[in-house]
């Protein structure tokens, strides 16, 4: 005989004194106090998205929901902690039982509890990317593949491929065809390595970062009792930045919410800009289709920007067909300064304009760290970095290392350095280690053989004659011959060709194959190298070119520019890296078709729409002043000066919303 016993909820000491109507605007209030069920909150840029989520958590707690029954999913653990800290400041409630964190951290907690269902013990190891690369390299070697004999993708490239397969739920063959077509001939070997890698992880009780999602979802789908356990626990699910979720993350949410369907997702479809790393724009767009009874709320009051900037932002995104239409409205008063559209002759003049205007703003009392220059791709800032360095204007690169310090740029310039100075040991070793079968030891041996054969002046009449006379291993022989031929081509008789021609030849003859096998973002790096060749067209003499590169690097290396110091500095950033940030003044540069939007995006409507969303993100980083610049001409590595059309995005903005600046030249 059994007896039913009802366990009451533990009483919570809540203040129940939050005046939500006073703390929130009407749009935020409607979302925060909505009835249970599927909720989609479209929160425009600068509209208080975090505030809305925080008050929703507080509202649930005030209404008696146990913290243990709430799951808060964010894209950083820091974001989750900040929201929970704010909730704690609003309510005297112990919310420690609430699960909050990234998708991966939540998956990790679930797998530690129930991973035995998949054959993993609770003490499984989580590999970082370096561990993952090493394990994949071990598997490749065990499969009998010698990456030095064929240009087989390196461990970190394979890790990237496998990651895309998991996060986008795309078969390997389709993924390669879409993102890595140059590896399609190796499909059979890559598929075999993937299978071996999965087996190896299981045998070593190890998981990589993507397994924390993939294995968790598989566990929920294959073991219904585990799924039921978590569905009962998480009665309310809240998701931040939903527009950035990928396929597997959306499936994870839907699986947990399958019964109660109390899921609130918050995001801005107009700021969905990460498809290149697996984010699926369809998740937020199709939410009302997956949840037909979903309530949709729009939060359109912007607390960041002046009305003039928001009018341009609204116009910039209007042409997108696939979107939840909204109209950002300003809470700030007008500053009577329209965003400026500025046409310049070329990239160098654009750089001079930006630098001059930055100095003027500084004189007007605007701190340098309140100024940002945003661009579509890292190489767009080459001329600007040079100009800022010349004028002594400190700057920080928030989108990665400085252009000339990037590995692929230094790799290619090592060839140029070597032909300019055949006694440059560092350049020689960097250059030859790019070839298959050559490591540190053999590079050192080759250098001694090369150095011993040099005359006192270090003069060269035939690179091929010298190099081909040196003994090399069988694995390196073919590539060594290619190196000899390439050096003879770029510096015949020891006389260097113009630097731009040299760079183009080096990339096409040697470096392109290396880059494909070694870099996950090969296409972006190839764009960088094309732009390096274009930049080098300014210099006819190789030594002048190398001197300028050295001067820029040395100026950039000054302690005053170190990000750990308190020194004021202008922010240079890709738009992707600037998302979520804001500045008093923003310059968006290289607004020409083929640059922003990028050439690759011109092929499909979906790609153009994502580029337009990226433009929208750039505009909405500005609080007070906005400058949109475009050069009429740009240098090309091999085709002379190229005429540039102003970006189609500029043409979509009504002329009355912007001010056309005409440049007078002295």
């Amino acid at each position: 005989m059994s007896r039913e016993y009802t366990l009451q909820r533990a009483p919570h000491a809540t203040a129940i004194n939050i005046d939500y109507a006073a703390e929130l605007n009407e749009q935020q209030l409607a979302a925060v106090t909505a009835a249970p069920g599927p909720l989609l909150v479209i929160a425009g840029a600068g509209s208080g998205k975090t505030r809305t989520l925080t008050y929703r958590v507080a509202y649930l707690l005030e209404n008696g929901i146990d913290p243990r029954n709430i799951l808060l999913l964010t894209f950083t653990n820091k974001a989750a902690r900040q929201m929970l800290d704010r909730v704690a400041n609003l309510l005297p409630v112990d919310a420690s039982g609430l699960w909050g964190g990234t998708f991966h951290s939540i998956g990790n907690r679930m797998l530690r509890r129930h991973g035995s269902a998949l054959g993993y013990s609770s003490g499984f190891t989580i590999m970082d990317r370096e561990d993952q690369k090493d394990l994949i390299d071990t598997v490749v070697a065990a499969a009998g593949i010698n990456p030095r004999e064929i240009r087989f993708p390196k461990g970190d490239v394979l890790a990237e491929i496998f990651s895309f397969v998991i996060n986008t739920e795309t078969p390997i063959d389709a993924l390669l065809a879409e993102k890595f077509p140059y590896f399609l001939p190796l499909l059979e070997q890559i598929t075999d390595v993937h299978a071996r890698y999965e087996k190896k992880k299981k045998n070593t009780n190890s998981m990589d970062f993507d397994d924390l999602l993939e294995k968790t979802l598989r566990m929920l789908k294959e073991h219904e009792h585990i799924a039921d356990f978590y569905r009962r626990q998480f009665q309310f699910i809240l998701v931040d930045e939903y527009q950035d979720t990928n396929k597997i993350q959306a499936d994870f949410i839907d699986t947990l919410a399958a019964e109660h369907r109390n899921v609130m997702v918050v995001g801005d479809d107009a700021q969905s800009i990460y498809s290149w790393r697996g984010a699926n724009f369809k998740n937020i767009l199709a939410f009302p289709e997956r949840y037909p009874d979903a309530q949709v709320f729009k939060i359109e009051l912007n607390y960041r920007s002046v009305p003039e900037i928001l009018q341009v932002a609204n116009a910039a995104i209007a042409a997108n067909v696939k979107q939840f239409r909204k109209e950002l409205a300003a809470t700030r008063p007008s500053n009577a300064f329209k965003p400026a559209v500025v046409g310049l002759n070329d990239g160098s003049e654009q750089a001079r304009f930006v630098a001059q205007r930055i100095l003027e703003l500084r004189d007007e009392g605007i701190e340098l760290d309140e100024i940002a220059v945003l661009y579509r791709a890292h190489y767009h800032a080459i001329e600007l970095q040079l100009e800022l360095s010349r004028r002594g204007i400190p700057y920080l690169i928030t989108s990665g290392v400085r252009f000339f310090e990037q590995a692929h740029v230094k790799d290619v310039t090592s060839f140029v350095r070597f032909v300019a100075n055949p006694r440059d040991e560092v350049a020689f070793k960097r250059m030859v280690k790019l070839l298959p079968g050559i490591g540190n030891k053999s590079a050192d041996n080759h250098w001694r053989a090369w150095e011993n054969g040099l005359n006192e002046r270090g003069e060269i009449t035939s690179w091929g004659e010298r190099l081909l006379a040196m003994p090399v291993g069988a694995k390196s022989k073919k590539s060594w011959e290619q190196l000899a031929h390439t050096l003879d081509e770029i510096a015949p008789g020891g006389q260097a060709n113009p630097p731009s021609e040299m760079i183009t030849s080096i990339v096409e003859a040697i470096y392109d194959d290396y880059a494909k096998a070694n870099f996950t973002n090969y296409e972006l790096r190839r764009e960088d190298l094309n732009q390096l060749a274009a930049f080098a067209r300014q210099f006819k003499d190789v030594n002048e070119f190398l001197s300028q590169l050295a001067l820029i690097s040395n100026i950039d290396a000054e302690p005053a520019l170190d990000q750990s110091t308190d020194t004021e500095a202008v922010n240079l950033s890709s738009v992707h890296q600037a998302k979520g940030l804001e500045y008093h003044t923003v310059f968006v540069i290289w607004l020409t078709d083929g640059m922003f939007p990028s050439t690759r995006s011109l092929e499909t409507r979906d790609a153009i729409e994502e580029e337009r969303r990226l433009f929208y993100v750039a505009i909405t980083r500005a609080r007070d002043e906005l400058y949109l610049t475009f050069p009429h001409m740009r240098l090309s590595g091999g085709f002379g000066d190229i005429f540039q059309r102003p970006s189609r995005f500029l043409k979509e903005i009504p002329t009355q919303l912007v001010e056309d600046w005409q440049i007078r030249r002295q």
Side-chain angles (χ1 to χ4, degrees):
M1 183 175 178
S2 62
R3 176 188 300 183
E4 287 190 357
Y5 179 82
T6 302
L7 183 65
Q8 303 291 335
R9 291 186 185 275
H12 297 298
T14 59
I16 316 185
N17 62 355
I18 298 178
D19 187 347
Y20 291 95
E23 297 287 331
L24 305 168
N25 64 46
E26 288 186 11
Q27 295 173 337
Q28 294 169 337
L29 180 65
V32 165
T33 59
L39 310 173
L40 170 60
V41 181
I42 302 297
S47 66
K49 167 182 63 67
T50 301
R51 187 176 185 83
T52 302
L53 264 177
T54 300
Y55 275 81
R56 176 64 176 180
V57 174
Y59 183 78
L60 292 175
L61 294 174
E62 269 204 347
N63 281 275
I65 303 301
D66 192 306
R68 292 170 295 183
N69 295 137
I70 300 174
L71 172 63
L72 174 62
L73 290 164
T74 60
F75 273 83
T76 65
N77 286 316
K78 179 181 178 182
R81 286 195 301 271
Q82 287 177 338
M83 287 187 208
L84 296 180
D85 287 345
R86 293 181 187 183
V87 170
N89 290 331
L90 292 172
L91 292 172
V93 174
D94 179 10
S96 58
L98 189 155
W99 281 37
T102 65
F103 287 87
H104 294 89
S105 67
I106 298 302
N108 176 50
R109 290 181 68 175
M110 292 182 174
L111 289 168
R112 295 291 181 193
R113 285 180 163 190
H114 298 101
S116 58
L118 298 179
Y120 285 87
S121 74
S122 61
F124 62 81
T125 298
I126 301 175
M127 298 183 292
D128 61 21
R129 185 49 73 96
E130 189 65 26
D131 296 332
Q132 186 182 8
K133 171 186 173 297
D134 291 343
L135 189 62
I136 291 175
D137 286 339
T138 299
V139 169
V140 169
I145 299 169
N146 189 337
R148 294 181 172 182
E149 293 180 353
I150 61 172
R151 283 294 189 189
F152 197 75
K154 296 296 171 58
D156 48 358
V157 177
L158 287 169
E160 187 79 359
I161 292 172
F162 300 159
S163 180
F164 268 110
V165 166
I166 287 175
N167 287 297
T168 63
E169 299 181 351
T170 304
I172 286 184
D173 56 347
L175 190 280
L176 291 182
E178 178 185 354
K179 289 189 171 294
F180 304 90
Y182 37 88
F183 289 143
L184 272 174
L186 303 171
L187 173 61
E188 186 176 339
Q189 294 101 311
I190 291 174
T191 303
D192 177 56
V193 167
H194 189 221
R196 289 169 179 260
Y197 172 58
E198 289 296 319
K199 186 176 180 180
K200 190 77 169 176
K201 285 188 294 182
K202 186 73 170 291
N203 291 341
T204 57
N205 196 39
S206 301
M207 293 192 194
D208 59 38
F209 204 54
D210 296 308
D211 286 326
L212 300 179
L213 290 178
E214 190 270 334
K215 298 293 188 290
T216 303
L217 183 59
R218 181 149 62 88
M219 178 179 71
L220 295 175
K221 289 187 173 182
E222 293 179 359
H223 300 275
E224 192 64 29
H225 69 286
I226 299 176
D228 285 342
F229 174 84
Y230 285 109
R231 285 171 185 151
R232 286 194 302 271
Q233 177 175 345
F234 300 131
Q235 292 296 308
F236 288 86
I237 301 172
L238 298 92
V239 187
D240 189 20
E241 302 285 9
Y242 188 70
Q243 78 280 350
D244 294 334
T245 55
N246 58 35
K247 181 68 166 63
I248 198 169
Q249 289 166 334
D251 287 350
F252 175 70
I253 295 164
D254 292 347
T255 299
L256 287 178
E259 293 181 7
H260 58 71
R261 303 171 77 254
N262 293 327
V263 54
M264 170 190 268
V265 300
V266 181
D268 183 5
D269 58 297
Q271 296 186 69
S272 179
I273 58 174
Y274 295 116
S275 66
W276 53 276
R277 69 183 189 196
N280 193 333
F281 176 61
K282 294 178 182 176
N283 288 345
I284 191 166
L285 211 62
F287 187 85
E289 297 173 15
R290 297 203 311 281
Y291 296 88
D293 56 335
Q295 299 180 70
V296 180
F297 300 91
K298 295 181 182 179
I299 304 177
E300 300 167 300
L301 277 178
N302 177 285
Y303 293 88
R304 177 186 301 157
S305 306
V306 294
E308 290 80 2
I309 289 174
L310 294 185
Q311 289 170 1
V312 170
N314 289 330
I317 199 66
N320 269 14
V321 175
K322 296 181 178 179
Q323 66 166 307
F324 292 104
R325 297 203 174 273
K326 59 184 174 300
E327 195 80 10
L328 291 180
T331 58
R332 293 183 57 197
S334 168
N335 69 355
F337 183 92
K338 288 184 178 181
V341 174
V342 190
L344 291 310
N345 280 339
D346 54 26
S348 295
E349 187 173 89
Q350 176 180 246
R352 292 200 301 275
F353 167 77
V354 172
Q356 179 175 314
R357 189 69 191 117
I358 286 172
L359 292 175
E360 291 169 351
L361 288 164
R362 184 65 187 86
D363 290 342
E364 294 168 13
I366 308 303
E367 301 287 330
L368 291 182
D369 50 20
E370 277 291 331
I371 301 171
V373 183
L374 306 183
Y375 36 78
R376 174 64 183 84
H378 199 39
Y379 68 81
H380 292 180
I382 294 179
E383 293 97 342
L384 182 60
Q385 289 184 47
L386 181 60
E387 188 65 26
L388 295 177
S389 298
R390 284 171 176 163
R391 298 195 186 210
I393 302 173
Y395 63 91
L396 296 176
I397 304 284
T398 57
S399 53
V401 297
R402 287 168 168 77
F403 182 85
F404 298 107
E405 295 171 0
Q406 295 177 107
H408 53 296
V409 173
K410 295 185 73 171
D411 286 345
V412 170
T413 53
S414 69
F415 290 76
V416 181
R417 286 174 52 191
F418 179 63
V419 297
N421 174 19
R423 293 188 180 279
D424 189 333
E425 179 179 354
V426 173
F428 176 88
K429 288 182 176 178
R430 185 171 191 126
M431 175 181 70
V432 299
K433 283 193 291 185
L434 298 171
L435 308 180
I438 299 181
N440 289 328
K441 185 176 180 180
S442 52
D444 194 51
N445 292 335
H446 290 322
W447 169 250
R448 285 199 297 270
W450 172 265
E451 187 181 34
N452 290 337
L454 281 177
N455 60 34
E456 290 185 3
R457 294 184 178 180
E459 294 174 336
I460 301 294
T461 55
S462 171
W463 303 95
E465 185 178 321
R466 288 289 319 283
L467 289 170
L468 296 177
M470 294 167 57
V472 295
K475 294 177 182 177
S476 310
K477 186 173 178 56
K478 185 177 179 182
S479 59
W480 192 265
E481 291 172 351
Q482 180 63 60
L483 172 64
H485 173 75
T486 301
L487 294 180
D488 275 335
E489 180 182 319
I490 65 176
Q495 300 301 309
N497 287 338
S500 180
E501 295 178 18
M502 296 170 69
I503 292 167
T504 300
S505 296
I506 293 161
V507 172
E508 291 179 352
I510 294 178
Y511 199 74
D512 195 60
D513 284 342
Y514 174 86
K516 286 176 180 174
N518 285 273
F519 298 124
T520 58
N521 55 348
Y522 156 74
E523 291 183 344
L524 293 178
R525 293 184 188 247
R526 181 59 195 263
E527 283 183 2
D528 282 349
L529 296 174
N530 291 343
Q531 193 61 25
L532 178 66
F535 174 76
R537 283 191 56 221
Q538 303 172 61
F539 311 98
K540 299 303 179 187
D541 179 72
V542 64
N543 290 313
E544 183 188 358
F545 169 69
L546 292 172
S547 295
Q548 285 296 321
L549 264 58
L551 287 172
I552 294 172
S553 297
N554 287 331
I555 292 172
D556 289 349
E558 287 295 318
L561 300 183
D562 191 289
Q563 297 197 37
S564 63
T565 70
D566 294 328
T567 303
E568 268 190 84
V570 176
N571 299 277
L572 307 189
S573 176
S574 69
V575 184
H576 285 101
Q577 291 290 332
K579 185 175 177 290
L581 303 177
E582 59 182 69
Y583 304 92
H584 177 280
T585 299
V586 168
F587 296 83
V588 187
I589 63 173
W590 277 111
L591 282 165
T592 63
D593 269 4
M595 299 288 269
F596 197 167
S598 68
T599 301
R600 291 196 308 274
S601 71
L602 301 177
E603 298 174 3
T604 67
R605 189 182 72 178
D606 284 352
I608 280 289
E609 293 212 345
E610 177 153 342
E611 292 286 299
R612 191 176 284 112
R613 294 194 294 271
L614 194 63
F615 182 47
Y616 172 85
V617 168
I619 292 170
T620 53
R621 299 311 94 200
R623 295 197 303 267
D624 295 271
E625 294 189 28
L626 175 66
Y627 298 86
L628 308 173
T629 69
F630 64 95
H632 293 291
M633 306 291 291
R634 102 176 142 93
L635 292 172
S636 166
F639 303 101
D641 294 340
I642 298 177
F643 178 73
Q644 297 285 282
R645 297 178 185 274
S647 172
R648 62 193 63 195
F649 301 153
L650 290 177
K651 297 176 182 178
E652 293 168 355
I653 300 172
T655 55
Q656 67 269 23
L657 299 183
V658 295
E659 186 173 50
D660 182 25
W661 284 31
Q662 298 296 319
I663 301 300
R664 290 190 307 176
R665 298 163 182 87
Q666 294 182 341

